[in-house]
Amino acid sequence: MALLTAVGTERTHTPVPDVLGPDLARPAVDVDALYTTHWRYLVRLAVLLVDDVASAEDVVQDAFIALHRKSAGLRDPDAALAYLRTSVLNLSRSVLRRRHVVRKHLRVAEPEATAGADHDVLLRDEHRAALAAVRRLPRHQREVLILRYWSGLSEREIAQTLGISAGSVKSAASRGLAALQQMLGGES
């Protein structure tokens, strides 16, 4: 970073002392580029987890805010997308926990979300039964299947995102697929 001072018609560069250190002087991650490139993907991921577009958008926005706050401290800027995925997953879990607590303590059913104009585009008729079945799976199996088949992550990436072993990923995927097959009336 340099301070420009005019000396006559000539400009000279006077360096500003780097009091924050070389790593903190400039952001390590281009959050704007990540937002532009991955916002829609992350919202769709969150919608599959929280089943509500407005909550999903809030979750993704909070994840980007957290990334922005942490961006100078990320050791590996290439891991920013993985950080965002993990944040979206954790924030989605928090949203679901809060919903559960509200339902439990108020004993009032949550009002049905009104379908937006793009709702039918996102959830076509042929996918509704499958999505309903996925939503009935236990949380761990649901998350593994969504990350594997919708996000296209490898077992290693899923394990890193969820903080579990690759064997747990394989087990949860196998059990989840078997449960889906049973719920959807497929052959055993």
Side-chain angles (χ1 to χ4, degrees):
M1 200 154 134
L3 175 66
L4 298 177
T5 26
V7 178
T9 58
E10 222 176 283
R11 291 185 183 247
T12 60
H13 296 281
T14 306
V16 174
D18 190 8
V19 294
L20 298 176
D23 294 336
L24 298 177
R26 58 183 154 72
V29 177
D30 186 358
V31 179
D32 291 338
L34 279 170
Y35 188 86
T36 302
T37 307
H38 299 290
W39 179 83
R40 184 174 306 232
Y41 155 75
L42 291 168
V43 168
R44 288 179 181 161
L45 174 62
V47 165
L48 289 171
L49 295 168
V50 299
D51 192 28
D52 173 17
V53 175
S55 295
E57 289 174 345
D58 290 343
V59 161
V60 172
Q61 188 67 26
D62 290 345
F64 273 102
I65 289 169
L67 175 66
H68 178 71
R69 287 182 182 147
K70 186 180 175 103
S71 66
L74 280 178
R75 283 181 245 149
D76 181 9
D78 296 331
L81 182 57
Y83 176 86
L84 283 169
R85 266 195 307 262
T86 301
S87 292
V88 166
L89 183 71
N90 289 334
L91 291 167
S92 295
R93 287 175 180 165
S94 295
V95 166
L96 293 174
R97 271 193 302 271
R98 281 191 298 273
R99 282 184 189 168
H100 178 72
V101 168
V102 167
R103 287 179 186 151
K104 182 178 176 182
H105 291 289
L106 294 179
R107 300 201 186 270
V108 175
E110 183 179 54
E112 268 190 53
T114 56
D118 61 345
H119 188 64
D120 287 335
V121 173
L122 293 174
L123 301 174
R124 295 187 178 138
D125 288 337
E126 65 267 14
H127 296 121
R128 287 185 186 182
L131 284 173
V134 168
R135 288 187 184 112
R136 288 193 306 265
L137 290 173
R139 185 192 87 199
H140 192 66
Q141 292 174 7
R142 181 177 61 243
E143 290 170 353
V144 167
L145 291 178
I146 288 172
L147 291 172
R148 184 172 184 181
Y149 294 105
W150 189 83
S151 295
L153 299 182
S154 68
E155 289 172 354
R156 183 183 55 78
E157 291 170 323
I158 295 169
Q160 287 175 337
T161 300
L162 297 176
I164 59 175
S165 70
S168 294
V169 171
K170 290 177 185 179
S171 175
S174 175
R175 289 182 182 138
L177 288 174
L180 283 176
Q181 191 173 28
Q182 186 177 14
M183 281 188 255
L184 296 172
E187 295 178 17
S188 300

